[in-house]
Structure formats: structure tokens, C-alpha cells
């Protein structure tokens, strides 16, 4: 006589497990709760009850982050996004709000200032290490969310709102500020006024000579994406800020170059475009990536074929052989 296979226990409504796990968190058993969140949500996924699995993971990510458990919270946040992908959940405002709620619970802790003693330096090193972990964890979550959004219905570059969140967190929390990275995400976002105010804030604390580089980089990034309107809007927003005027940026050769470049791109003026590149070459060469951006801009606006370094190298070799 064959034995009957034991029936798998029916899963209760997700809310029951959410409350049970919340109690485990409140008792301070963060590690135990983490393992339970992962195993219980996996059961709901196996049962094709994706919506309830997402509710459990969302609750867990927010609770762990609120309690300062950044590594645990971000792990659940990433699993939340992975579950969106498994369930083929389309991008919409409701899911975006859920992602935003998780993002808002990531800690934002200012670094200690005016430290001088050895003990204080130790405290600063600990704070820098913790900040790096926070930023890396938030980046892992938001990058996964951007990838999901691009695949399931948002803009091909991913949700603009998610790009803005990522740019904001890198700028406000990163112990080693990378304005190229910040700008990369802002130009794929949808909040030009926020980007302008961030650049103005950066101008107030950066080293001399970094301010005009940051502005030029942002404008060229927009132009290399074919967005002349956004480039003009950003420049206009910057000029409204008093701090922009205080920095006398109109005297910067790079800013003068940008002020000439923007109206040039509004008309069929390739000779003038090339003349500007020649006249301001020494300033443009301050950042090697600028020339690459300008090659992309020439191709987009004037149909100029970009130079292939490999072809140039072989061309030189053939000349030598000839």
C-alpha cells in the first residue's frame, strides 16, 4: 500500500507573518528576523503568491532600515526588486511609491565635523566606513530598481524618478563625492531645478576650478543625449542663483565656451562649432571626457562621423608602410 504524500501546509495571509516578524524585530533579533523574512517570502514566491511576498519583503526592508540595520534592510530591498522581476510586475506609480518608501528609510547621517584629536579621527574613520556601506547598499538597491523599471515599462534608461533618488543619495551621503556619477544620474532624471540647486551647493564647497568643470560636464552630458532644451534650462536655472553670480563664473573660459556653444547648436553652424572647439581647446582639454562628449554632440547635431581610434592607428601604420 503506497503512502500518501504529506500535504504542504497552506500559507496564511501575508499580514499574519508581517505582524509576527515585526515582533521579532521589536525584540531586537535582527539576524533571526532576516532569515525568517527571506525563507517565508520565498515560500510565497514558490506558491505564486508574489503580491504577498512583496508585501512581506517591503515591510522587512523598511523595518530593518528604520532600526539602522542597513545591510539587512538593503538585502531585503534587493530581493524585493528581484521578486518584481520574477513576477514580471509592470512599472507604475504604485510600485514606484513602494520603492520610494524603502529609499526614504535609508539612513541619512551627516559626517562629524571639526575633528582634530586622535580619538576623534578614529571616530571619523568609523563614520566614513559606515557612510560608504550605506551608499553602496542604497546604490545596489536603486540600480536594481532602475534596471527593472527599464525592462518593465519605464523609459529605456530607467525611471527618471529613480535616477534622481540615486543622484541625491550619492551627493548627500557619499564620503568620497563623485560629481560625474551624480551628474550621470541627474541627466537621466526629471528634476532640473534640483540638479541646478545641487550644482550651486557643490560650488559652495568644492575646490577652486572644480565649479566650472562640474557645470560644463552637466551641460555636455545633456547635449550628448540630444537634449538641447534641458541643457539650456539648466544653464538658465544656474544663472538665477545668487551664488552662481558670486563665483564670477562668467569669467571662466569653459563657461564662455558653453555660452557660445548653446546658441550655436540651435542652427546649422558646423564651421562655428569646430572653431569654438579650436579656440577653447586648452580649456576643453582640462577634462579628457569633454572631447568625447563633443564628438558625440557633433554626430548628433551635425551628422559628423565619430573618429575610430583603431582605424586611425591602422591608417598611420599604412602611411608608414607606404
Amino acid at each position: 500500500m503506497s503512502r500518501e504524500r504529506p500535504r504542504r501546509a497552506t500559507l496564511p495571509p501575508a499580514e499574519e507573518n508581517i505582524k509576527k516578524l515585526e515582533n521579532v524585530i521589536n525584540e531586537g533579533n535582527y539576524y533571526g528576523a532576516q532569515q525568517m523574512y527571506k525563507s517565508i517570502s520565498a515560500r510565497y514566491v514558490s506558491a505564486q503568491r508574489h503580491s504577498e511576498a512583496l508585501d512581506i519583503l517591503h515591510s522587512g526592508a523598511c523595518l530593518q532600515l528604520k532600526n539602522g540595520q542597513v545591510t539587512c534592510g538593503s538585502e531585503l530591498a534587493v530581493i524585493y526588486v528581484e521578486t518584481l522581476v520574477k513576477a514580471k510586475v509592470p512599472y507604475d506609480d504604485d510600485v514606484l511609491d513602494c520603492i520610494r518608501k524603502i529609499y526614504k528609510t535609508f539612513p541619512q547621517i551627516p559626517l562629524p565635523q571639526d575633528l582634530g584629536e586622535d580619538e576623534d579621527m578614529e571616530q571619523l574613520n568609523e563614520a566614513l566606513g559606515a557612510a560608504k556601506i550605506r551608499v553602496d547598499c542604497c546604490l545596489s538597491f536603486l540600480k536594481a530598481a532602475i534596471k527593472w523599471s527599464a525592462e518593465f515599462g519605464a523609459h529605456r534608461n530607467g525611471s527618471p524618478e529613480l535616477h534622481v533618488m540615486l543622484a541625491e543619495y550619492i551627493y548627500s551621503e557619499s564620503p568620497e563625492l563623485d560629481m560625474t556619477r551624480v551628474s550621470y544620474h541627474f541627466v537621466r532624471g526629471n528634476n532640473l531645478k534640483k540638479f541646478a540647486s545641487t550644482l550651486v551647493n557643490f560650488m559652495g564647497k568644492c575646490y577652486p576650478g572644480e565649479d566650472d568643470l562640474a557645470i560644463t560636464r552637466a551641460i555636455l552630458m545633456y547635449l550628448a543625449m540630444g537634449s538641447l532644451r534641458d541643457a539650456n534650462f539648466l544653464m538658465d536655472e544656474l544663472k538665477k542663483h545668487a551664488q552662481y553670480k558670486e563665483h564670477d563664473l562668467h569669467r571662466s573660459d569653459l563657461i564662455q565656451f558653453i555660452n557660445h556653444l548653446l546658441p550655436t547648436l540651435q542652427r546649422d553652424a558646423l564651421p562655428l562649432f569646430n572653431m569654438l572647439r579650436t579656440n577653447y581647446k586648452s580649456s576643453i582639454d582640462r577634462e579628457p571626457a569633454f572631447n568625447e562628449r563633443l564628438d558625440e554632440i557633433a554626430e548628433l547635431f551635425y551628422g559628423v562621423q565619430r573618429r575610430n581610434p583603431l582605424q586611425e592607428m591602422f591608417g598611420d601604420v599604412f602611411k608608414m608602410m607606404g
Side-chain angles (χ1 to χ4, degrees), residues 186-204:
F186 264 125
V187 298
R188 285 158 179 77
N190 58 355
N191 196 333
L192 280 151
K193 290 192 175 186
K194 180 70 181 175
F195 190 12
S197 64
T198 300
L199 284 169
V200 169
N201 180 274
F202 177 71
M203 285 160 54

Side-chain angles (χ1 to χ4, degrees), residues 29 32 74 76-77 103 122 130 179 203 222 265 272 274 304 319:
N29 185 3
S74 66
L76 293 179
Y103 164 71
E122 188 178 337
M179 279 305 291
M203 285 160 54
Y222 275 122
L265 293 175
L272 180 55
N274 288 333
V304 177
K319 281 179 189 176

Side-chain angles (χ1 to χ4, degrees), residues 33 92 99 215:
D92 62 23
I99 292 172
I215 292 168

Side-chain angles (χ1 to χ4, degrees), residues 12 18 24 67 71 89 109 200 205 215 227 315:
I18 288 172
V24 179
N67 282 277
T71 306
V89 176
I109 305 167
V200 169
K205 61 185 184 183
I215 292 168
S227 188

Side-chain angles (χ1 to χ4, degrees), residues 219-233:
I219 297 295
L220 293 182
M221 280 184 176
Y222 275 122
L223 294 174
M225 292 174 69
S227 188
L228 180 58
R229 184 194 63 181
D230 287 347
N232 275 302
F233 187 93

Side-chain angles (χ1 to χ4, degrees), residues 140-202:
S140 296
F141 163 55
L142 286 177
K143 281 183 176 179
I146 289 168
K147 187 177 177 183
W148 157 78
S149 70
E151 189 177 347
F152 289 95
H155 189 275
R156 63 186 175 85
N157 289 325
S159 163
E161 290 85 356
L162 295 176
H163 277 292
V164 171
M165 290 179 210
L166 188 46
E168 285 180 326
Y169 202 81
I170 295 171
Y171 184 76
S172 65
E173 299 302 309
S174 181
E176 297 173 353
L177 184 57
D178 182 351
M179 279 305 291
T180 301
R181 214 172 180 188
V182 172
S183 298
Y184 174 89
H185 290 289
F186 264 125
V187 298
R188 285 158 179 77
N190 58 355
N191 196 333
L192 280 151
K193 290 192 175 186
K194 180 70 181 175
F195 190 12
S197 64
T198 300
L199 284 169
V200 169
N201 180 274
F202 177 71

Side-chain angles (χ1 to χ4, degrees), residues 237-255:
E237 280 296 310
L238 285 168
K239 289 173 181 176
K240 290 177 186 176
H241 288 267
Q243 203 162 347
Y244 178 90
K245 296 168 187 172
E246 289 169 11
H247 277 246
D248 286 335
L249 280 171
H250 63 280
R251 295 181 183 174
S252 157
D253 284 346
L254 268 179
I255 299 302

